[in-house]
Amino acid sequence: MADTDTRFAHRGNKESLEEALAFQPKFDADGLIPAIVTDAGTGDVLMFAWMNADALALTIETGIGHFWSRTRRALWKKGEESGNVLKVVELRTDCDQDVVWLRATVEGDGVACHTGRRSCFYRSVPLGGAPSAALQLTWSKDPQKS
Amino acid sequence: MADTDTRFAHRGNKESLEEALAFQPKFDADGLIPAIVTDAGTGDVLMFAWMNADALALTIETGIGHFWSRTRRALWKKGEESGNVLKVVELRTDCDQDVVWLRATVEGDGVACHTGRRSCFYRSVPLGGAPSAALQLTWSKDPQKS
């Protein structure tokens, strides 16, 4: 588990986490950290996934997005089969270092979503009324399949 | 819990989740769904937080970002004290409807992070080498306090 992982610094106090430069990522009870992937050009959120310590270490070392598939319980190099590999332009962490943000470009077809869309976020939730089970999503501006 | 929540549709099969327009958000074992907040103008990720069903319903109804504080175990209207309220421009969900993305503007001082910074993601992780406990983050381009 990540607690004894020598690849990352041990978690310090609040001041250390927020204001220091030691990388002290927090992995949750399942050994995972959330990872947000945005398009380095447009800023659109492309996908959201999870990393274990191995996936995070590989992403840092190679500059290519690696994740942990919770359904397959396996390390997952995004795009390994499709060719739609994520080339990381910048990797950031947040104030308490329990999330990472990948600014990336998508190689191959430029498609990040397994449904064939550029982004996984292709539907919008209408705002301004109390939700009910009948609430209908709308297609977002860029919902086309590639 | 969300399973019996009449404010959201019941979870359907993969085809329904991915290609239909019924909003069927998935709350995890703790009743929470991850929420990514980006700046509606620049696309920068501002923060990452969690919502329970009440927080999600309130966000939809009011167009103002509400979350669930896991540390305080309480509903949390972001900016209630600071004035840095999140005005949601667009709310999206992803292919399997287990994440939401808020494109928002920050009212008040325009500061989303409790450390006083515009974004919680103010440090970068250097790429290209295997990580070690000695790895040092760098300040991202926009690390200034407001």
Side-chain angles (χ1 to χ4, degrees), chain A residues 99-111:
Chain A
V99 185
V100 293
W101 167 23
L102 289 72
R103 294 181 52 234
T105 56
V106 188
E107 307 288 284
D109 297 331
V111 161

Side-chain angles (χ1 to χ4, degrees), chain A residues 5-10 14 16-24 34 36 38 42-48 50 56-63 70 88-101 103 113-115 117 119-142 145, chain B residues 5-10 14 16-24 34 36 38 42-48 50 56-63 70 88-101 103 113-115 117 119-142 145:
Chain A
D5 199 316
T6 56
R7 293 171 295 185
F8 303 107
H10 288 289
K14 185 175 156 74
S16 165
L17 289 171
E18 293 179 357
E19 302 297 336
L21 292 175
F23 186 38
Q24 312 157 60
I36 302 162
T38 65
T42 65
D44 288 346
V45 179
L46 297 176
M47 54 179 277
F48 173 86
W50 296 84
L56 180 56
L58 273 168
T59 299
I60 292 169
E61 186 167 355
T62 65
R70 295 186 300 175
V88 184
V89 173
E90 187 182 14
L91 179 65
R92 294 194 185 193
T93 192
D94 72 333
C95 44
D96 51 357
Q97 303 198 32
D98 62 358
V99 185
V100 293
W101 167 23
R103 294 181 52 234
C113 184
H114 77 283
T115 67
R117 297 173 176 92
S119 162
C120 295
F121 294 83
Y122 47 85
R123 287 167 300 183
S124 302
V125 184
L127 301 174
S132 77
L135 184 146
Q136 292 286 294
L137 303 172
T138 60
W139 299 106
S140 305
K141 262 177 281 177
D142 187 14
K145 298 206 178 198
Chain B
D5 199 315
T6 57
R7 293 171 295 185
F8 304 106
H10 288 289
K14 184 175 156 72
S16 166
L17 290 170
E18 293 180 357
E19 301 297 337
L21 293 175
F23 187 38
Q24 312 156 60
I36 302 162
T38 65
T42 65
D44 287 346
V45 179
L46 297 176
M47 55 178 278
F48 173 85
W50 296 85
L56 180 56
L58 273 169
T59 300
I60 292 170
E61 186 167 355
T62 64
R70 295 187 300 175
V88 184
V89 173
E90 187 182 13
L91 179 66
R92 294 194 185 193
T93 192
D94 72 333
C95 43
D96 51 356
Q97 303 198 32
D98 62 357
V99 184
V100 293
W101 167 21
R103 295 180 51 234
C113 184
H114 78 282
T115 65
R117 297 173 176 93
S119 162
C120 295
F121 294 82
Y122 48 85
R123 286 166 300 183
S124 303
V125 184
L127 301 173
S132 77
L135 185 146
Q136 292 286 295
L137 303 172
T138 60
W139 300 105
S140 306
K141 263 176 281 177
D142 187 16
K145 298 206 178 196

